[in-house]
Amino acid sequence: MKAFVFPGQGAQYCGMAKDLYDSFPEARELMDRADAILDFSITDIMFNAPEEELRQTRYTQPAIFLHSMAAATLLGRDGVAMAAGHSLGEYSALCFAGAMNFDEALAIVARRGELMQNAGTENPGTMAAVIGMKDEALEELLAEATPAGTIQAANFNSPGQVVVSGSIDAVRKAVELARSKGARMAKELTVSGAFHSPLMKPAEEELKKALDEVTISDAAVPVCMNVVARPVTSAADIRRNLVLQLTSPVLWTQSVEAMIASGVTSFTEVGPQKVLQGLIKRIDRNVATAGVDTAEHVREQLTV
């Protein structure tokens, strides 16, 4: 069984998806449509903007979504038994699976990016990667850091690789504690907010209002969702999980394990970079991984 997985924030790069635009009329049509839907040229930012501009959450999220969907449109659904996405990538997975139409999904992704950026300004926070600690030890560490402020595990990316998120003081305290407790690495990340933590509550409330205006259908392909780490097809469950996702941990390790347990043996990352392929290999070295980022990758997949 094959699954498509879709990357989240952090996978962007300058010039992303330009060769897809230049090589495939279907991709060009989709990207031109995106420019017409949004109140700015997302393709200009993807192809030409400096890294600092592309890294702004309100631009990063629609850019990664659009890159993933351009590639996914070229590949089609044939032979794909399941899908999943990391945080933002969940919207790409749901659009690919037919639970949301492209126009509404792009608009809600852009709105989500804007809301998360605003929440980061309203409730300043940060995130940090902690590598080389067991989950139980990390939970104890978070309890010790809590007196300094809001903090929780935000992303369970692979065994021993967890991202924590919360108020600046609490996250910095957690980094200090992790280093003293023998973590292989503990490092604050360059982000514009405390994503997947309670500090995103203002964004969650506004996102719920926006999602209430979006048509969500049952998924044609099961999507293993971040909040529950199990395959979901029901429109009602999808809507609820998307709202909860902003303040809840991304259970990526658990999601990949659930997909493997259900029979998935190969994963294709659809969109920019190779982040998820690396995480999946750390979760289970026995599964096959591939990536579809560039026009060359698309051609390779279409001739398999």
Side-chain angles (χ1 to χ4, degrees):
M1 277 172 58
K2 178 168 73 173
F4 275 6
V5 293
F6 297 86
Q9 197 158 338
Q12 71 278 0
Y13 61 86
C14 300
M16 60 192 290
K18 179 71 164 66
D19 67 337
L20 296 178
Y21 185 93
D22 291 339
S23 302
F24 300 103
E26 306 98 311
R28 183 159 55 251
E29 182 185 342
L30 196 72
M31 293 189 206
D32 287 343
R33 197 156 112 211
D35 283 342
I37 291 166
L38 300 174
D39 59 2
F40 56 89
S41 174
I42 187 62
T43 56
D44 187 46
I45 290 167
M46 292 164 73
F47 302 163
N48 306 309
E51 189 180 342
E52 314 85 75
E53 187 174 2
L54 183 58
R55 206 166 49 215
Q56 291 182 41
T57 298
R58 65 195 175 114
Y59 297 140
T60 306
Q61 296 201 12
I64 292 172
F65 171 82
L66 182 55
H67 188 150
S68 290
M69 291 316 302
T73 298
L74 295 167
L75 297 173
R77 280 191 211 147
D78 283 357
V80 181
M82 202 169 289
H86 191 289
S87 189
L88 155 73
E90 193 156 84
Y91 287 80
S92 308
L94 290 165
C95 187
F96 166 77
M100 306 173 83
N101 73 49
F102 173 80
D103 294 20
E104 287 193 313
L106 175 67
I108 201 73
V109 162
R111 180 64 175 144
R112 179 182 186 267
E114 184 183 289
L115 289 170
M116 289 173 74
Q117 188 162 323
N118 292 346
T121 303
E122 187 180 329
N123 292 333
T126 189
M127 303 174 80
V130 179
I131 296 176
M133 291 189 79
K134 292 189 181 300
D135 289 352
E136 302 77 23
L138 185 73
E139 288 300 329
E140 291 173 14
L141 179 154
L142 293 175
E144 282 187 60
T146 297
T150 299
I151 190 167
Q152 72 177 30
N155 302 338
F156 290 90
N157 285 333
S158 66
Q161 183 182 329
V162 178
V163 174
V164 300
S165 181
S167 63
I168 293 167
D169 288 349
V171 169
R172 289 180 178 165
K173 180 66 175 174
V175 168
E176 180 189 314
L177 287 167
R179 287 171 179 162
S180 72
K181 292 175 183 291
R184 195 158 74 249
M185 189 191 88
K187 180 185 177 184
E188 189 174 341
L189 304 175
T190 305
V191 291
S192 58
F195 305 147
H196 301 290
S197 86
L199 297 185
M200 285 289 113
K201 197 69 183 173
E204 180 186 88
E205 291 163 1
E206 290 301 314
L207 182 67
K208 183 181 184 306
K209 291 178 192 172
L211 279 167
D212 283 344
E213 304 300 315
V214 172
T215 301
I216 296 179
S217 307
D218 290 351
V221 175
V223 177
C224 198
M225 296 191 74
N226 293 175
V227 172
V228 292
R230 60 176 172 77
V232 174
T233 55
S234 152
D237 289 344
I238 289 167
R239 190 181 295 278
R240 181 173 60 252
N241 291 339
L242 284 177
V243 174
L244 293 173
Q245 193 217 60
L246 275 192
T247 56
S248 302
V250 172
L251 303 178
W252 186 252
T253 300
Q254 298 88 332
S255 294
V256 171
E257 289 171 343
M259 286 189 279
I260 293 169
S262 70
V264 172
T265 54
S266 74
F267 292 84
T268 301
E269 182 171 6
V270 183
Q273 305 274 25
K274 301 178 176 180
V275 175
L276 299 183
Q277 294 167 69
L279 296 180
I280 290 165
K281 276 299 188 186
R282 284 197 282 274
I283 294 165
D284 189 330
R285 292 202 169 278
N286 297 315
V287 297
T289 59
V292 180
D293 174 349
T294 65
E296 182 183 354
H297 294 151
V298 171
R299 291 188 192 101
E300 286 171 1
Q301 286 290 318
L302 292 178
T303 55
V304 169

